[in-house]
Amino acid sequence: MADNGRTLTLHLGHDELVIRRKWETASIVNDVLVALWFVIGSVLFFWESTTTAATWFFLVGSLQFLARPVIRLSRRLHLRRIGSDDGGASADF
């Protein structure tokens, strides 16, 4: 893959993490976080004393579900702005 200067490189000790497709990466990170919030919220519902916290985790997870289409729309608009023909539809996620 050609490096067009749109990569993010994080140095972790002797290793590097290179992120090339920021919109796809943002979507994956968002999906993982949504899953974590719902799993944590589900576990917290086992005890009555943590029901309020569980409700907050579900609310945060629900709001992140809203972030998912916003990330996809941002990606499509960005690809159109830099001259993509299909607006990213061929590799939609």
Side-chain angles (χ1 to χ4, degrees), residues 4-36:
N4 60 3
R6 296 183 185 271
T7 61
L8 173 63
T9 303
L10 302 173
H11 298 278
L12 307 168
H14 296 292
D15 297 320
E16 287 183 346
L17 173 64
V18 179
I19 300 172
R20 288 194 173 92
R21 296 181 179 185
K22 65 181 178 181
W23 297 112
E24 183 177 0
T25 302
S27 180
I28 292 167
V29 169
N30 184 64
D31 288 349
V32 169
L33 288 173
V34 167
L36 284 174

Side-chain angles (χ1 to χ4, degrees), residues 15-74:
D15 297 320
E16 287 183 346
L17 173 64
V18 179
I19 300 172
R20 288 194 173 92
R21 296 181 179 185
K22 65 181 178 181
W23 297 112
E24 183 177 0
T25 302
S27 180
I28 292 167
V29 169
N30 184 64
D31 288 349
V32 169
L33 288 173
V34 167
L36 284 174
W37 303 144
F38 278 98
V39 168
I40 292 169
S42 296
V43 170
L44 290 175
F45 268 118
F46 285 125
W47 301 278
E48 191 172 329
S49 63
T50 58
T51 300
T52 300
T55 303
W56 280 104
F57 275 101
F58 275 99
L59 178 61
V60 170
S62 298
L63 291 172
Q64 275 196 267
F65 270 131
L66 176 63
R68 189 174 195 194
V70 171
I71 291 169
R72 291 179 66 206
L73 180 62
S74 298

